Amino acid sequence: MCGITGYIGKKEGLPIVFDNLRKLEYRGYDSAGVAFFNAVSSIKHQVLGPKVIKAVGKLDNLEKAIRGAKSQAATAAIAHTRWATHGIPNETNAHPHTDCKKEIFLVHNGIVENYRELKTDLTKHGHHFYSDTDTEVLAHLIEEFGPELALKKVVGAYALAVIFKKEPEKIFVARLGSPLVIGVGGGEYYVASDPTALAGLVKKVVYLKEGQRGWLSLSGMKIGPARPRLEPLEIDPEQSRRGNYKHFMMKEIAEGPEVLESAIRGRLSVRRNSVKLGGLESVTDQLKRIKRLEILACGTSYYASLIGKLLFEELADIPTEIAIASEYRYAKRPVSSQSAAIFVSQSGETADTLAALRKANNQGLLTLGIVNAVGSSIARETVAGVYNHAGPEIGVASTKAFISQLGVLSLMALHLSRQKLKLHKEIIKELRILPFKIESVIKNSGAIKTLAKKYLQYDNFLYLGRGYNYPAALEGALKIKEISYVHAEGYAGGEMKHGPIALIDKNFPTVALATQNRVYEKMISNLEEIKARSGPILAIATAGDKKMAKLADDVFYVPKTIEQLEPILNIVPLQLFAYYSGILRGYDVDKPRNLAKSVTVE
Ligand code: AGP
């Protein structure tokens, strides 16, 4: 998954595309590069270039390499920050890539699945290759067939920006499978993989649809085959910046209360004991006929979906199946016309989730989205859906999005319920005050930092939970894995005796979600078994629970809330625990090794 950007307008392009690259850095950062026209020859008044500068590693290295470089105003510029899929991260494999004659320069996000066959054919036609990437094939294909015909030969996914030595005021763009957005304003055009890079630069954008491609130039935009649709860019530039936080991850954990408020704002009424989801109004009649639900997602969104299952079954009495999107997309499964499939995705671009969505659409299922990124592929290809409105999530580890997803899933369960339970009213009331309870936990993050220091000595953890807290334990374990690179396993408390108990000893701590609910006593039994085997215990417990202080080595107390909403609260100390563990180990918590923010390739 990579970040691409481009600019054509009256200004100098190099500083603009580099600044945009900074905003896309979270998408991938093992190498980067730019291509720009750098001057006009005094003799023939011909524009010189494009000049290509690349660097391995983080963007600071590219910044040093381009220092002092001059780009020619009113000519095209493109840039790329790479997350390697084919070919190791080095300067040769970094984008932009070019053709034999060095007249075509392109940046690409996606995968050319048939690049080997294409490379063999092109080599037979006399083309010479210099890199190990799939992307370089595209430059030679365009050299051989021109951009339109070349893309017809490609199997795979691409978001492309291409510039041409002979036409310095033009950029060719194309999108299939990987997101690409065009910023439009005042005779200037910006290209970016992600609209957050355009925040503050333009007010209008075109989210390229599948198969859309065409030209941006000083004289206008020519995009087809479908007519481009101008839409407002609804991202506040402030939200994309880190504010006064050292890391995006901490900023986004601290935004937990406000994203829960944003998720429920204008969607629930305590007085009328009702939930209104405008994004589902168009499918009201179909939803009335639904007999079962499927929820498909990956990673953190999958763990949120596991909680969604419990909510839909308990609050709406609708049988709900969950599947990991990458499994669902290849599984042979019975299709029921009385099913609806829900796709949960923060980025709205996760390749596995998008592929699962396209499979469900092809099978004629009613597909609904719970997506954060406005205008993203999953948001646009589901029949209806509910936006999280959580603002851009920049930290690679998903934190505020998880809380927002649980808020929306709670609302959706209430919305789909055909009965009015006393519990519904309790949930609606509690959702209104839960942001304040999250706030109180975040205010106590210093205690979590102390605990992270104490548990820094351990490289293995068991995360234990039951009921609604079992998926939260899975998510807590994922967080510390992603951020601190220690091994952690989330487990259902009832399963401990079926194997993992063999691991318990003084070097194997357990983080236990043991708040007071219908399975509290069962969690106490788990902890007694662990204690009997000298296993260290860090418990997340309900404020005032004195019994826990005698049982666990360390306790972090959270306010009492209703069981169905506990994960929204209980995940916060686990997010903070992962954050501080990563910081204390000296890791880059916003850009953990080997990870990308949105996995737009298989
Ligand atoms: C979570 O911390 C990870 N970054 C990852 O598991 C993520 O949740 C997963 O890739 C799904 O992303 P999505 O929500 O954007 O679809």
Side-chain angles (χ1 to χ4, degrees):
M1 199 278 296
C2 311
I4 72 173
T5 185
Y7 171 77
I8 177 67
K10 300 176 197 62
K11 304 186 192 91
E12 281 196 40
L14 178 58
I16 290 173
V17 295
F18 185 78
D19 282 353
N20 284 352
L21 226 41
R22 276 278 182 218
K23 295 178 253 178
L24 294 168
E25 192 174 9
Y26 71 90
R27 294 176 64 88
Y29 30 80
D30 58 39
S31 53
V34 291
F36 57 95
F37 291 89
N38 50 346
V40 178
S41 75
S42 52
I43 308 148
K44 291 185 279 181
H45 287 289
Q46 191 188 3
V47 176
L48 302 180
K51 185 168 176 53
V52 178
I53 302 177
K54 303 181 182 182
V56 183
K58 298 208 167 160
L59 275 188
D60 297 343
N61 300 340
L62 180 64
E63 189 166 34
K64 283 191 205 100
I66 63 173
R67 200 160 289 153
K70 184 106 180 63
S71 68
Q72 178 61 29
T75 58
I78 55 174
H80 182 275
T81 181
R82 185 170 183 239
W83 184 253
T85 54
H86 293 76
I88 58 166
N90 61 22
E91 265 192 48
T92 308
N93 290 331
H95 302 207
H97 283 292
T98 189
D99 61 322
C100 301
K101 295 192 218 79
K102 295 197 177 3
E103 293 184 346
I104 297 164
F105 297 81
L106 63 85
V107 288
H108 167 230
N109 175 31
I111 280 196
V112 181
E113 292 183 7
N114 62 335
Y115 83 99
R116 287 185 185 82
E117 305 90 290
L118 292 170
K119 197 166 180 173
T120 307
D121 283 352
L122 287 161
T123 306
K124 279 187 197 134
H125 283 81
H127 288 263
H128 300 287
F129 290 83
Y130 56 84
S131 81
D132 307 325
T133 68
D134 55 331
T135 297
E136 187 197 346
V137 164
L138 297 173
H140 295 275
L141 264 186
I142 293 172
E143 179 187 11
E144 190 71 27
F145 301 105
E148 298 282 347
L149 197 54
L151 294 181
K152 290 189 171 25
K153 297 176 179 299
V154 173
V155 175
Y158 49 78
L160 268 188
V162 192
I163 61 177
F164 301 81
K165 183 180 179 64
K166 291 180 181 148
E167 300 184 278
E169 302 90 12
K170 280 187 160 183
I171 300 182
F172 177 79
V173 293
R175 179 254 155 105
L176 187 72
S178 295
L180 197 62
V181 61
I182 312 291
V184 182
E188 299 180 309
Y189 294 96
Y190 298 81
V191 186
S193 310
D194 179 329
T196 52
L198 304 181
L201 294 174
V202 291
K203 292 194 171 16
K204 296 270 183 208
V205 292
V206 171
Y207 293 101
L208 285 191
K209 289 187 174 41
E210 290 300 12
Q212 270 190 319
R213 56 193 179 278
W215 297 89
L216 308 175
S217 74
L218 292 176
S219 49
M221 167 170 66
K222 284 200 188 67
I223 300 285
R227 268 173 60 78
R229 193 154 70 95
L230 264 184
E231 301 181 48
L233 178 60
E234 296 169 329
I235 294 176
D236 164 3
E238 195 38 50
Q239 277 187 311
S240 305
R241 280 189 277 279
R242 218 171 32 222
N244 54 5
Y245 291 94
K246 209 161 165 318
H247 303 101
F248 277 111
M249 185 176 177
M250 187 61 222
K251 171 176 179 278
E252 288 153 9
I253 294 172
E255 287 175 347
E258 79 185 74
V259 300
L260 183 59
E261 281 172 347
S262 306
I264 63 180
R265 187 173 298 123
R267 292 171 167 169
L268 61 78
S269 158
V270 178
R271 191 171 46 79
R272 286 193 300 279
N273 185 21
S274 66
V275 169
K276 189 169 107 25
L277 294 175
L280 300 184
E281 264 161 22
S282 62
V283 292
T284 304
D285 294 343
Q286 287 153 281
L287 286 175
K288 283 190 185 121
R289 294 192 293 273
I290 291 302
K291 293 262 183 299
R292 61 188 283 284
L293 288 171
E294 298 177 342
I295 317 182
L296 297 317
C298 300
T300 289
S301 300
Y302 170 70
Y303 295 141
S305 304
L306 287 171
I307 294 164
K309 167 187 169 63
L310 298 172
L311 290 165
F312 285 126
E313 292 185 341
E314 180 166 16
L315 302 183
D317 195 30
I318 301 178
T320 304
E321 218 177 296
I322 304 285
I324 294 173
S326 54
E327 291 297 309
Y328 177 90
R329 66 184 287 190
Y330 295 112
K332 296 268 177 291
R333 330 154 35 97
V335 179
S336 145
S337 59
Q338 293 178 310
S339 290
I342 300 172
F343 297 84
V344 182
S345 175
Q346 188 286 128
S347 63
E349 299 298 348
T350 299
D352 287 324
T353 311
L354 186 53
L357 166 57
R358 289 174 176 165
K359 174 176 179 176
N361 277 334
N362 291 338
Q363 290 175 338
L365 288 182
L366 172 61
T367 54
L368 307 174
I370 296 179
V371 178
N372 191 34
V374 173
S376 58
S377 304
I378 293 172
R380 282 187 288 106
E381 296 187 27
T382 39
V383 171
V386 182
Y387 276 125
N388 291 92
H389 299 313
E393 185 177 66
I394 308 297
V396 166
S398 196
T399 49
K400 65 175 183 176
F402 182 75
I403 287 181
S404 177
Q405 289 165 345
L406 295 182
V408 171
L409 284 160
S410 306
L411 293 181
M412 211 182 246
L414 295 174
H415 179 80
L416 294 179
S417 172
R418 294 164 185 125
Q419 48 190 338
K420 283 280 172 227
L421 303 175
K422 183 171 158 295
L423 179 58
H424 293 175
K425 196 163 182 66
E426 288 167 14
I427 286 187
I428 288 177
K429 271 171 64 187
E430 184 67 7
L431 277 171
R432 297 299 286 252
I433 55 175
L434 205 51
F436 301 102
K437 295 184 177 179
I438 300 173
E439 195 63 56
S440 70
V441 171
I442 292 167
K443 282 207 169 69
N444 196 14
S445 54
I448 293 282
K449 184 173 182 179
T450 307
L451 290 169
K453 225 174 262 174
K454 175 175 178 181
Y455 284 81
L456 212 53
Q457 59 185 299
Y458 300 106
D459 289 330
N460 295 285
F461 289 84
L462 181 64
Y463 277 65
L464 224 46
R466 288 177 181 250
Y468 283 88
N469 284 313
Y470 165 42
L474 295 171
E475 169 59 10
L478 174 63
K479 281 288 110 19
I480 198 164
K481 275 194 279 255
E482 285 189 287
I483 297 298
S484 310
Y485 315 151
V486 300
H487 177 252
E489 196 157 3
Y491 238 91
E495 277 294 289
M496 193 180 79
K497 57 187 172 300
H498 299 289
I501 195 166
L503 294 167
I504 305 291
D505 64 20
K506 64 181 177 16
N507 300 314
F508 191 83
T510 297
V511 176
L513 293 171
T515 36
Q516 284 168 340
N517 53 37
R518 74 186 101 159
V519 287
Y520 171 73
E521 289 307 330
K522 300 297 171 203
M523 282 303 292
I524 292 289
S525 311
N526 281 135
L527 300 187
E528 281 160 351
E529 289 155 17
I530 293 168
K531 192 167 182 64
R533 291 160 179 80
S534 313
I537 299 170
L538 164 54
I540 308 298
T542 305
D545 178 354
K546 296 198 174 25
K547 189 193 264 186
M548 196 54 72
K550 296 194 191 82
L551 192 52
D553 299 84
D554 297 285
V555 186
F556 182 85
Y557 289 105
V558 295
K560 175 81 184 137
T561 184
I562 51 180
E563 182 172 337
Q564 292 75 10
L565 302 178
E566 278 187 354
I568 295 178
L569 205 50
N570 294 349
I571 197 61
V572 179
L574 304 188
Q575 292 173 342
L576 290 164
F577 188 67
Y579 171 73
Y580 287 118
S581 303
I583 298 289
L584 290 165
R585 288 167 187 263
Y587 297 141
D588 182 344
V589 294
D590 282 339
K591 300 190 207 74
R593 69 183 183 195
N594 309 342
L595 287 179
K597 180 58 189 169
S598 169
V599 185
T600 58
V601 292
E602 263 201 272

